[in-house]
Amino acid sequence: MANLKEIRNRISSVSSTMQITSAMKMVSAAKLKKAQDAITAMRPYSNKLTELLQSLSATLDADSGSKFAEQREVKNVLIVAITSNRGLCGAFNSNIIKQTNFLINDVYAGKNVSILAIGKKANDAFAKQDKVIANKSEVFDNLTFDNVSEIAEMLMEKFTEGEFDKIDIVYNSFKNAATQIVMTEQFLPIVPVETDENVNLDYIFEPSKEEIVETLIPKSLKTQLYKGIRDSFASEHGARMTAMHKATDNATELRDQLKLTYNKARQAAITNEILEIVGGAEALNN
């Protein structure tokens, strides 16, 4: 059994760790609330934009498609891997890295696959494979639509210039604080829209459907990427809050066990001292 000093040191160390994890949990909980509010605020706009784009696309001829819908033989693929800049959030980052590796080694086996990292963890993981063409981790320092739009414009430019034939986004979709769903979405070329007979097509267009679609598609792509990063941002704080909650519970349980061990050791030491005193007194009396 460890001596009392060692146990006291372990109790102190575990208590300090518990305070840190508890503080991190509260910070993540506060940030999660703001991130959730941001997602909730943009969803109506995103849904209405998609609905309008569907309505317009359903009335256009197949030959009048956008340059962003061009289907080419897939030789060069770009995967946008969205992780966090920091760890201590459970399997949040490892799930994205695992899914991206699955795409590289299985889905796109034999293709030339590159990575655009959004998040330091993705950059660290794939820089070793020499696949990262750019690292946009700084976007989390000021997560705004304008900053994300610059990344989306770069992706659109690389696709239209033929540098890549397909672009996918891999990110964690926020369901709740304890659940994040790994999503793989095709960013470019845009997925053909399935027409719905119930879609309301009774619009008056000015200047024309084609011109409006050419304006809406870039806006829709920017919104898609922004939503993915926002989803990942909220998922990160949910995952970290859950991980720190479990870490705090484990630290509390370990501290209680150490205190029990300490009390038993202390009681045994006191009992031994009493026995030694009684034995000494008996020896003197005899």
Side-chain angles (χ1 to χ4, degrees):
M1 181 179 292
N3 61 45
L4 294 177
K5 183 177 180 180
E6 290 177 350
I7 298 176
R8 282 199 303 269
N9 289 338
R10 289 194 64 190
I11 291 173
S12 177
S13 175
V14 171
S15 297
S16 298
T17 301
M18 186 178 67
Q19 292 176 349
I20 294 171
T21 56
S22 180
M24 292 181 68
K25 172 190 169 184
M26 290 187 290
V27 170
S28 293
K31 291 183 177 180
L32 174 61
K33 180 64 170 62
K34 294 179 180 179
Q36 278 183 283
D37 291 343
I39 292 176
T40 303
M42 72 170 291
R43 276 176 181 164
Y45 171 78
S46 178
N47 293 338
K48 191 62 180 178
L49 180 61
T50 302
E51 177 188 335
L52 182 57
L53 187 60
Q54 287 177 341
S55 301
L56 289 168
S57 300
T59 63
L60 293 176
D61 297 331
D63 297 334
S64 59
S66 168
K67 58 185 177 181
F68 300 115
E70 180 184 354
Q71 301 290 331
R72 301 192 288 260
E73 180 184 356
V74 178
K75 296 180 180 178
N76 300 307
V77 180
L78 177 64
I79 300 175
V80 181
I82 305 175
T83 62
S84 66
N85 286 339
R86 298 184 295 127
L88 296 176
C89 47
F92 174 83
N93 292 313
S94 61
N95 286 339
I96 295 298
I97 294 170
K98 183 190 296 184
Q99 176 65 13
T100 304
N101 279 323
F102 170 74
L103 293 176
I104 294 171
N105 299 322
D106 292 271
V107 178
Y108 298 124
K111 312 290 186 185
N112 181 24
V113 181
S114 301
I115 303 294
L116 186 140
I118 299 180
K120 292 180 181 177
K121 295 300 179 180
N123 182 66
D124 293 343
F126 297 108
K128 300 175 184 177
Q129 303 179 24
D130 197 26
K131 290 184 177 296
V132 178
I133 63 167
N135 178 18
K136 298 296 182 180
S137 304
E138 70 279 358
V139 72
F140 289 114
D141 297 334
N142 185 21
L143 186 51
T144 63
F145 183 79
D146 289 339
N147 289 337
V148 175
S149 294
E150 294 178 3
I151 301 175
E153 288 171 358
M154 180 189 72
L155 295 175
M156 289 185 279
E157 181 180 349
K158 288 183 178 295
F159 177 79
T160 54
E161 291 180 352
E163 186 173 344
F164 296 102
D165 305 309
K166 188 177 181 182
I167 300 177
D168 285 345
I169 306 174
V170 181
Y171 67 96
N172 280 294
S173 177
F174 179 81
K175 183 176 182 181
N176 54 52
T179 307
Q180 298 83 38
I181 303 171
V182 178
M183 301 290 291
T184 302
E185 291 182 357
Q186 182 171 315
F187 185 71
L188 287 168
I190 59 175
V191 180
V193 179
E194 296 181 1
T195 58
D196 186 349
E197 295 179 358
N198 298 321
V199 173
N200 179 19
L201 304 179
D202 188 17
Y203 291 111
I204 298 175
F205 300 104
E206 182 67 32
S208 69
K209 298 175 186 177
E210 289 77 9
E211 292 182 54
I212 293 174
V213 167
E214 286 299 316
T215 302
L216 279 182
I217 287 179
K219 178 75 73 174
S220 179
L221 290 171
K222 293 175 183 178
T223 303
Q224 180 185 355
L225 182 60
Y226 183 61
K227 181 178 178 296
I229 296 177
R230 271 291 178 191
D231 250 337
S232 179
F233 189 64
S235 297
E236 175 193 349
H237 293 302
R240 182 171 291 109
M241 185 183 74
T242 302
M244 291 301 99
H245 176 73
K246 292 180 180 178
T248 302
D249 289 346
N250 291 338
T252 302
E253 182 180 350
L254 179 58
R255 184 194 61 180
D256 293 342
Q257 291 176 352
L258 288 171
K259 283 185 176 180
L260 182 60
T261 302
Y262 175 80
N263 290 334
K264 287 181 178 180
R266 184 167 176 269
Q267 185 177 12
I270 293 172
T271 302
N272 288 334
E273 289 178 3
I274 292 174
L275 290 175
E276 290 175 0
I277 292 172
V278 171
E282 289 291 332
L284 291 174
N285 291 334
N286 293 332

